[in-house]
Amino acid sequence: DPYTRRQMLEAHLNPNSDGASRRPDSILKITDFIVANSKPGGHLLDLGCGPGLYTSIFKDKGYTVTGIDFNETSIEYANKQRKDIHYTTGDYITDYPQGKFDIIIMIYCDLGTHSDTERDKLLHNIYNSLNEDGVFIFDVFTDALIKDKQEGRNWEYAQDGGFWDEKKYLLLSETFHY
């Protein structure tokens, strides 16, 4: 919905939070690592690109860049920032971009947010869209980072609204590990 899309964009653009994107210094370290471990100037696909924080850096480093994200507000923002990057609004599981890529990235542990069936479909699409010497670069949470994240169910009542809605709401959530 429009409210949540705006909330997500604001979280991505907040340089003092790792809420939706990593902080700028971490983004630079990640992009430097990817550049050092991939084909220079290749065609790069960013799955879950958000507002284009990573894609802009890769474009400036000479890559041909495609980004996809399901948040229409983030893609609109990215398109306003960079006309020289191909952005698509869509779900990369069901609307996977056509083409061949030298590098496919999935940053901020997105791979671990999908069911086994979705992940299998995604990995199949990634494999088929990589050039022969292409690479898929993704990150995962370490055991140390998730040791405090216990599986379980929870609920939260937001009387005055919050991240998910500007009006009051009841949030039912479940945490589990793949």
Side-chain angles (χ1 to χ4, degrees), residues 10-12 16-17 30 51 128 149 173:
E10 288 178 22
H12 276 294
N16 300 314
S17 170
I30 292 165
N128 287 329
K149 308 276 189 241
S173 62

CSV table of all heavy atoms in Angstrom, one decimal, residues 10-12 16-17 30 51 128 149 173:
chain,number,residue,atom,x,y,z
A,10,GLU,N,11.7,5.7,3.0
A,10,GLU,CA,12.3,6.5,4.1
A,10,GLU,C,13.3,5.7,4.8
A,10,GLU,O,14.4,6.2,5.2
A,10,GLU,CB,11.3,7.1,5.0
A,10,GLU,CG,10.5,8.2,4.4
A,10,GLU,CD,9.4,8.7,5.3
A,10,GLU,OE1,9.5,8.6,6.5
A,10,GLU,OE2,8.4,9.3,4.8
A,11,ALA,N,13.0,4.4,5.1
A,11,ALA,CA,13.9,3.6,5.9
A,11,ALA,C,15.2,3.3,5.0
A,11,ALA,O,16.3,3.3,5.6
A,11,ALA,CB,13.3,2.3,6.3
A,12,HIS,N,15.0,3.1,3.7
A,12,HIS,CA,16.2,2.8,2.8
A,12,HIS,C,17.1,4.1,2.8
A,12,HIS,O,18.3,3.9,2.8
A,12,HIS,CB,15.7,2.6,1.4
A,12,HIS,CG,15.3,1.2,1.1
A,12,HIS,ND1,16.2,0.1,1.1
A,12,HIS,CD2,14.1,0.6,0.8
A,12,HIS,CE1,15.6,-1.0,0.8
A,12,HIS,NE2,14.4,-0.7,0.6
A,16,ASN,N,21.4,6.8,8.9
A,16,ASN,CA,21.8,6.4,10.3
A,16,ASN,C,21.2,5.1,10.8
A,16,ASN,O,21.2,4.8,11.9
A,16,ASN,CB,21.3,7.5,11.2
A,16,ASN,CG,22.0,8.8,10.9
A,16,ASN,OD1,23.2,8.9,10.7
A,16,ASN,ND2,21.2,9.9,10.8
A,17,SER,N,20.6,4.4,9.8
A,17,SER,CA,19.9,3.1,10.2
A,17,SER,C,20.2,2.0,9.2
A,17,SER,O,20.4,2.2,8.0
A,17,SER,CB,18.4,3.4,10.2
A,17,SER,OG,17.7,2.2,10.3
A,30,ILE,N,30.7,-3.0,0.6
A,30,ILE,CA,30.1,-4.1,-0.2
A,30,ILE,C,30.3,-4.0,-1.7
A,30,ILE,O,30.7,-4.9,-2.4
A,30,ILE,CB,28.6,-4.2,0.2
A,30,ILE,CG1,28.4,-4.7,1.6
A,30,ILE,CG2,27.8,-5.1,-0.8
A,30,ILE,CD1,27.0,-4.4,2.2
A,51,PRO,N,15.7,1.7,-3.7
A,51,PRO,CA,15.8,3.0,-4.3
A,51,PRO,C,17.1,3.2,-5.1
A,51,PRO,O,17.4,4.3,-5.6
A,51,PRO,CB,15.7,4.0,-3.2
A,51,PRO,CG,16.4,3.3,-2.0
A,51,PRO,CD,16.0,1.8,-2.2
A,128,ASN,N,19.9,-19.8,-14.9
A,128,ASN,CA,19.7,-19.7,-16.3
A,128,ASN,C,20.0,-18.4,-16.9
A,128,ASN,O,20.1,-18.2,-18.2
A,128,ASN,CB,18.2,-20.1,-16.7
A,128,ASN,CG,18.0,-21.6,-16.5
A,128,ASN,OD1,18.9,-22.4,-16.7
A,128,ASN,ND2,16.8,-22.0,-16.1
A,149,LYS,N,17.9,-14.2,17.7
A,149,LYS,CA,16.6,-14.2,17.0
A,149,LYS,C,15.9,-15.6,17.2
A,149,LYS,O,16.2,-16.5,16.6
A,149,LYS,CB,16.8,-13.9,15.5
A,149,LYS,CG,17.6,-12.7,15.2
A,149,LYS,CD,16.7,-11.5,15.2
A,149,LYS,CE,17.5,-10.3,14.7
A,149,LYS,NZ,17.7,-9.3,15.6
A,173,SER,N,3.0,-11.5,13.9
A,173,SER,CA,4.2,-11.8,13.3
A,173,SER,C,4.7,-13.2,13.7
A,173,SER,O,4.3,-13.7,14.8
A,173,SER,CB,5.3,-10.8,13.5
A,173,SER,OG,5.6,-10.7,14.9
